[in-house]
Amino acid sequence: MTSRAEILAAARRLIDEQGWEKLTIRQVAAELGIGATTLYHHVRNKEDLLLLLITEYANQIPHPELPEQPRDRIIVAMKAGHDAFAAWPWAAEVVIVDGFIGRLGDHALWLVEVVLAGAVDYGCTPAQSVYVFRSLWYYTVGEILVRARSKRDQAAIQGDFDFDARLSSFDPERLPVLAAIGAQWGPLAAEDNFLNGLTALVDGLLAQATATN
Amino acid sequence: MTSRAEILAAARRLIDEQGWEKLTIRQVAAELGIGATTLYHHVRNKEDLLLLLITEYANQIPHPELPEQPRDRIIVAMKAGHDAFAAWPWAAEVVIVDGFIGRLGDHALWLVEVVLAGAVDYGCTPAQSVYVFRSLWYYTVGEILVRARSKRDQAAIQGDFDFDARLSSFDPERLPVLAAIGAQWGPLAAEDNFLNGLTALVDGLLAQATATN
DNA sequence: ACCTGAACACCGTTCAAGT
DNA sequence: ACCTGAACACCGTTCAAGT
């Protein structure tokens, strides 16, 4: 007898090994030594399987200790969400590609709540705090997806933007700064500056919001 | 006799109609009234077809007039890149999903150059200007992907985060701000605040960079 | 209830064979 | 050169049939 938990565990194993795009229903079944069609007695379809996996994961995200200052609480909460996604970047890809977001459960939404409450405590209106959260969310999602991609394609593509391969072809007349940066791009793009950028964005957003009040 | 231009035009037509994920080599061939295998005489494979389409599109992105101030040049250049992607969001998805970025050609890279040069003119080191660009890029990519997704899934999912469907289930004890925002979330999430967030991020990044110099 | 193989309606891509 | 149908190696999913 097969259980849903066994199916999820097998799927997770395969995803960690080879990435979620390669995951196949038939493959999960083979991993469990059962017929492919048997899976459909425990899971509605492939999308449902991925959603179950993600909600399970989201419910395990640790809730961080919150600092005093509202501005710092926002940063800490967003960083916690980011780190959870970054540790399992395929979840972010699925959330984006299949629109799973928002079905995540109260546990994960608590991080959203902390960001919104921090903005309100800082002096934002509720509308402004939604704007603050969404802006931070865009930044976070973009960082995870771009980095996850460049990490996976490391063999095929050098650095985030494949600039390395084209450095010599930059026209110093038309693209002088790019040409000057040259081979430094690769190492610079590999640096993890998520927290710095997050801080800059939070400070920029809060300054903006309180200036217009 | 089939030409590569005809193939690209047909593919573009089909993508605009039904989205790039649904695009099929066999479908493009059918649209042109030729055998599916014929396509492989004009295009290496499906990935190559998509790449050709994107580079063609990227070379048509208009170069905006640049304002005087370095800070404003950064914003204008980034906004132009964003708007080009936003008008054809599937390009951003392909760039992310298939790691096409960096193969875009000098025309599109000019926008990157403007951002980097603006940061340097403002007083950033080259390394800092790369950091500034990457942070802005993450924000921009995230915005496009999240919005593109929520627009496509409008029928299935209300708003960016499917909160609407769950508003009544928010526990006011544990998620008070979310519960208070309630039904306002949908309209608020639908607002286009890309430029505001971009401005906040640029100002935050430039303040941060010059503070540490 | 739980499981299964056969089958359906698809994919991208290759390749020998045609003009 | 340019095009083709047949074929290969896959998919997710359904369904009647088994225990």
Side-chain angles (χ1 to χ4, degrees), chain B residues 23-26 37 40 45-46:
Chain B
L23 188 76
T24 252
I25 287 286
R26 294 166 127 102
T37 58
Y40 288 85
N45 50 33
K46 194 183 178 182

Side-chain angles (χ1 to χ4, degrees), chain B residues 106-124:
Chain B
D106 283 10
H107 180 87
L109 284 182
W110 181 81
L111 291 173
V112 179
E113 172 72 21
V114 170
V115 172
L116 295 170
V120 168
D121 285 358
Y122 192 89
C124 292

Side-chain angles (χ1 to χ4, degrees), chain B residues 178-193:
Chain B
L178 268 171
I181 290 170
Q184 293 175 291
W185 185 279
L188 287 173
E191 280 179 23
D192 179 5
N193 282 310

